[in-house]
């Protein structure tokens, strides 16, 4: 703060108050601190050296400089060569290798925090939105999976977008495989043959510490075909997820990709209606049928949005009836009828909101 006195004040004038005028600025430059570590010799002839402060131990670069480099690289997308050039212009003596080390290494606490985002989000949420997309990671083509809602967002890049991959992600930090009731129930629902299921029933409530132990177990049980192996593994992953206190009432909202169809599953109305949007009418009558179907679908959608805020049993029955009337109609336009029938087959997942008004109607 700088106090400024007026020029040429008449004699006898008195100071009454201050009028503030704020100027914002930043200070850019290097700031070097030299720690003179005292070295003492004890009576026994040993030497004791003064300890450096904890925040500078093991590094010749301060926390502010480190934070600046990380912000420039991750927040502003500045390349490492340009960061080096900038710091040299400011008088900071640092090499390209040191900049790379600051960006790359000793980031375990950030990875741990990222992992905790998913586990905490799953525990605190009533529903999650899920999706995946193609992505290139570490020079290889793969997939990036998103799990989140309005409270958190979590992303992970993997080599696969299978159901096994999704269940692996839902396990968070756990690596075990569990044969509990939920695991065996899933295998039965997926039509795992009885003679294979009976082998696993004999080992009910058994826990395998990791994938290696689980694969050896499957080999001993002679569960070798791709389908049987996949269903068994998916079931054991579901067993692990539920064993570690996963909320079975957590709704999973997706775009109808098969890998996400586990536990309590709901569908996105925006994606469902795209099957109608893709259709093309070849005459005026077909275009009218398409327009009417789209209008009826979005009127129902708006009614479902209102229902979320004021649910009631009479309104629930009314909306179910409207759904049936829209998606079971026979228009004579074959492509439209097929699309409506396909949407109708997903009735329970599209109308999950009637039983769970807390879940969203879309996955966008």
């Amino acid at each position: 703060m700088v106090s400024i006195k007026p020029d040429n004040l008449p004699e006898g004038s008195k100071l009454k108050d201050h009028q503030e005028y704020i100027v914002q600025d930043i200070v850019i430059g290097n700031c070097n601190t030299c720690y003179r570590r005292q070295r003492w010799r004890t009576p026994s002839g040993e030497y004791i050296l003064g300890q450096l402060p904890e925040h500078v131990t093991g590094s010749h670069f301060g926390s502010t400089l480190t934070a600046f480099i990380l912000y420039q690289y991750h927040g502003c997308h500045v390349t490492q060569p340009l960061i080096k050039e900038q710091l040299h212009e400011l008088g900071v003596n640092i090499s390209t290798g040191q900049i790379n080390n600051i960006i790359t290494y000793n980031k375990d606490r950030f990875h741990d925090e990222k992992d905790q985002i998913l586990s905490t989000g799953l525990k605190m949420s009533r529903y999650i939105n899920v999706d995946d997309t193609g992505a290139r990671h570490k020079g290889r083509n793969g997939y990036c999976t998103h799990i989140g809602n309005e409270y958190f967002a979590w992303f992970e890049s993997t080599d696969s977008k299978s159901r096994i991959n999704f269940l692996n992600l839902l396990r968070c930090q756990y690596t075990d495989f569990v044969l509990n009731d939920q695991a065996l129930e899933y295998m039965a629902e997926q039509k795992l043959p009885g003679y294979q299921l009976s082998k696993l029933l004999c080992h009910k409530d058994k826990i395998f510490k990791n994938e290696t132990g689980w694969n050896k177990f499957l080999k001993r049980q002679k569960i070798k075909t791709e389908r049987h192996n996949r269903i068994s593994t998916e079931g054991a992953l579901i067993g692990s997820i539920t064993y570690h206190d996963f909320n079975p009432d957590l709704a999973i909202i997706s775009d109808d990709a098969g890998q996400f169809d586990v536990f309590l599953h709901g569908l996105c109305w925006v994606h469902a209606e795209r099957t109608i949007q893709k259709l093309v009418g070849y005459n005026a009558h077909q275009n009218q049928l398409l327009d009417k179907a789209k209008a009826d679908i979005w009127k129902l959608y708006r009614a479902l949005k209102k229902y979320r805020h004021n649910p009631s049993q009479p309104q629930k029955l009314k909306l179910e009836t409207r759904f049936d009337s829209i998606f079971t109609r026979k228009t004579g336009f074959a492509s439209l009828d097929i699309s409506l029938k396909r949407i109708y087959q997903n009735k329970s997942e599209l109308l999950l909101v009637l039983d769970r008004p807390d879940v969203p109607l879309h996955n966008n």
Side-chain angles (χ1 to χ4, degrees):
M1 182 178 292
V2 178
S3 181
I4 303 176
K5 186 177 181 179
D7 296 330
N8 305 317
L9 276 174
E11 188 175 347
S13 299
K14 294 182 179 180
L15 176 64
K16 302 297 293 181
D17 54 28
H18 289 82
Q19 186 181 82
E20 293 185 347
Y21 183 89
I22 297 175
V23 177
Q24 297 186 82
D25 205 348
I26 59 174
V27 177
I28 300 177
N30 66 327
C31 178
N32 299 330
T33 302
C34 178
Y35 293 94
R36 303 188 66 196
R37 305 171 66 185
Q38 297 181 8
R39 192 166 68 117
W40 291 68
R41 183 176 180 180
T42 65
S44 63
E46 296 178 352
Y47 288 91
I48 299 177
L49 192 63
Q51 295 296 314
L52 289 168
E54 184 177 350
H55 66 278
V56 299
T57 301
S59 175
H60 291 282
F61 305 101
S63 57
T64 303
L65 175 59
T66 299
F68 176 79
I69 292 173
L70 294 175
Y71 178 73
Q72 288 292 92
Y73 184 77
H74 294 291
C76 302
H77 305 291
V78 181
T79 63
Q80 293 187 34
L82 288 177
I83 292 175
K84 177 186 176 184
E85 180 181 338
Q86 183 181 32
L87 292 177
H88 282 192
E89 290 175 352
L90 297 175
V92 178
N93 184 17
I94 189 171
S95 66
T96 303
Q98 289 291 356
I99 293 174
N100 184 71
N101 289 340
I102 289 173
I103 292 171
T104 306
Y105 297 106
N106 300 319
K107 301 295 181 292
D108 290 342
R109 59 178 177 148
F110 297 111
H111 293 297
D112 292 340
E113 181 180 353
K114 178 206 170 216
D115 293 337
Q116 292 172 13
I117 288 174
L118 178 59
S119 58
T120 302
L122 292 177
K123 290 177 181 178
M124 302 300 294
S125 300
R126 293 274 294 163
Y127 72 89
I128 53 173
N129 296 99
V130 294
D131 200 0
D132 54 29
T133 186
R136 190 164 178 82
H137 182 60
K138 294 182 178 179
R140 298 173 57 186
N141 291 329
Y143 304 91
C144 180
T145 301
H146 161 260
I147 301 175
N149 51 37
E150 69 265 42
Y151 301 114
F152 78 99
W154 183 86
F155 300 86
E156 182 69 17
S157 295
T158 57
D159 295 329
S160 169
K161 64 172 185 176
S162 64
R163 183 173 296 179
I164 288 178
N165 174 72
F166 178 59
L167 293 172
N168 264 318
L169 298 178
L170 284 184
R171 281 193 305 174
C172 300
Q173 73 272 23
Y174 299 105
T175 60
D176 53 7
F177 293 73
V178 181
L179 286 176
N180 56 15
D181 290 332
Q182 291 82 1
L184 296 168
E185 181 181 346
Y186 174 85
M187 296 175 195
E189 290 175 352
Q190 295 297 313
K191 305 291 191 294
L192 183 67
Y195 74 95
Q196 298 285 37
L197 188 60
S198 62
K199 298 176 185 178
L200 301 176
L201 281 169
C202 296
H203 299 274
K204 184 175 176 293
D205 296 327
K206 189 169 183 179
I207 300 175
F208 304 86
K209 292 183 179 180
N210 51 45
E211 185 176 7
T212 301
W214 170 251
N215 287 333
K216 288 181 179 178
F217 169 76
L218 291 179
K219 189 174 182 180
R220 289 195 303 270
Q221 302 303 316
K222 297 183 179 180
I223 301 177
K224 298 179 181 179
T225 65
E226 188 278 331
R227 179 175 176 272
H228 297 171
N229 190 295
R230 173 179 56 79
I231 293 175
S232 301
T233 300
E234 290 171 355
L237 287 170
I238 284 177
S240 172
I241 293 168
T242 55
Y243 178 76
H244 294 293
D245 299 325
F246 178 85
N247 177 14
D249 291 327
L250 180 77
I252 299 175
I253 312 299
S254 79
D255 59 359
D256 202 17
Q259 64 268 27
F260 301 126
D261 187 6
V262 290
F263 299 109
L264 183 60
H265 187 229
L267 289 179
C268 169
W269 274 83
V270 175
H271 284 84
E273 195 267 349
R274 285 180 184 174
T275 60
I276 308 295
Q277 286 285 353
K278 294 177 181 178
L279 299 179
V280 177
Y282 293 99
N283 54 52
H285 178 61
Q286 289 184 345
N287 284 324
Q288 288 176 357
L289 293 173
L290 281 174
D291 291 340
K292 177 172 173 51
K294 294 174 186 177
D296 289 344
I297 289 171
W298 290 119
K299 284 179 182 178
L300 175 60
Y301 179 84
R302 289 190 289 271
L304 290 170
K305 287 180 67 176
K306 292 180 179 179
Y307 173 87
R308 292 185 67 210
H309 301 291
N310 188 24
S312 67
Q313 185 64 23
Q315 187 67 8
K316 174 183 175 181
L317 296 175
K318 182 178 179 181
L319 290 170
E320 285 182 341
T321 303
R322 285 182 63 180
F323 183 94
D324 292 342
S325 67
I326 293 173
F327 296 105
T328 59
R329 66 177 57 161
K330 302 298 181 181
T331 66
F333 183 5
S335 297
L336 176 58
D337 290 345
I338 292 173
S339 296
L340 292 172
K341 182 179 179 180
R342 179 184 174 187
I343 296 175
Y344 182 75
Q345 290 171 345
N346 294 324
K347 176 181 176 178
S348 61
E349 293 166 302
L350 286 167
L351 293 184
L352 178 62
V353 67
L354 297 181
D355 295 315
R356 288 284 304 275
D358 57 301
V359 302
L361 291 167
H362 63 82
N363 199 44
N364 292 358

